[in-house]
Amino acid sequence: MDAEAQEVAMLSRVRKDGMQAFLTRRRAAMFDAMSAKAGVPSTIRIAAALLCNEHDHTLLVRKRGTTAFMQPGGKIERDEEPLAALVRELQEELGLVVHPSEPVHIGRFTAPAANEPGWTVEAEVFRIDIAEEVKPAAEIEEIAWIEPSSTIGLSLAPLTRNHVLPLHMALRNRRDL
C-alpha cells in the first residue's frame, strides 16, 4: 500500500472510530513496538470471573470504546493476589460485593489480549455463582447474560472464546452426567 493509500485508510479509521480511540490504539502500537525492541515482556496478568446465574448463563462485559465481550475482571496490581484483584474489579465494574471465600479457582489460561494488540493476557479464572442483579459501572459499557453455547453475533475476546466458554460447557456437561 502506498503512502497516500495508507493516509486515506488512517483518516477513514479516525472518522469511524473517533480520534480518542484512534490515538489510544496508535500509542499502544508504538509502545508495543518499543517494548518488543527492548525485550520488555508483553504479558498482562489478570483475574477474571466466570459469573453464573441460576440458569447457568454466564455474564460477559464490554468495556467502553471496545467491541469484544469478555469475562468481568481486570489487571492484577503489583503485589496483589489474583483473588483480591478479582474481588476489587467486580466491585468497581459491576457493584458486585463478593466474599473472598465464594470464588472457586478453575485455572490459569493464556490468550491474545482483546484490546492491546501484540499483548498476551495470563488469566487466573474463578467461577462464582450469583443471584444478585449487576449493573455496568466504571469502564463497563454493556453487559450480557449468555447461554455459553449460543454466542452468535457477539464479538468475543480470545480468552472467552477459546478457554472460558468451552470450560463452562465442559463443567456443565460433567454435572449433567
Side-chain angles (χ1 to χ4, degrees):
M1 184 181 294
D2 67 5
E4 186 177 340
Q6 286 179 335
E7 187 174 335
V8 169
M10 181 177 62
L11 289 173
S12 175
R13 282 193 302 275
V14 168
R15 279 190 218 106
K16 180 180 175 192
D17 298 342
M19 184 57 89
Q20 186 63 38
F22 172 77
L23 290 174
T24 299
R25 279 197 315 277
R26 184 82 173 148
R27 280 192 295 269
M30 289 176 10
F31 180 76
D32 292 348
M34 290 186 309
S35 296
K37 281 184 181 177
V40 174
S42 56
T43 300
I44 304 166
R45 291 184 59 233
I46 66 168
L50 171 58
L51 280 178
C52 298
N53 65 14
E54 67 274 6
H55 305 293
D56 210 22
H57 293 157
T58 190
L59 182 78
L60 299 181
V61 300
R62 187 178 58 76
K63 296 184 179 189
R64 190 167 290 110
T66 67
T67 58
F69 280 85
M70 61 188 64
Q71 302 333 114
K75 294 177 183 162
I76 301 171
E77 301 293 335
R78 180 187 290 272
D79 299 324
E80 186 177 37
E81 292 296 318
L83 183 56
L86 182 68
V87 169
R88 175 181 53 76
E89 289 284 348
L90 292 176
Q91 171 69 44
E92 290 172 7
E93 292 182 350
L94 302 170
L96 184 62
V97 177
V98 175
H99 189 275
S101 65
E102 292 177 61
V104 175
H105 187 261
I106 56 176
R108 176 183 292 161
F109 304 94
T110 303
N115 299 317
E116 289 87 6
W119 287 74
T120 299
V121 292
E122 182 178 278
E124 298 291 342
V125 180
F126 298 82
R127 180 182 170 119
I128 306 170
D129 294 314
I130 66 168
E132 299 92 278
E133 290 259 339
V134 295
K135 294 188 180 194
E139 74 269 17
I140 304 302
E141 186 163 316
E142 186 177 2
I143 63 173
W145 285 102
I146 66 151
E147 164 65 41
S149 62
S150 176
T151 59
I152 296 170
L154 285 181
S155 171
L156 299 174
L159 176 70
T160 300
R161 180 184 60 247
N162 300 337
H163 297 290
V164 180
L165 293 180
L167 178 62
H168 186 187
M169 296 287 291
L171 291 171
R172 174 189 275 182
N173 290 340
R174 264 196 213 151
R175 283 193 309 262
D176 290 342
L177 294 178

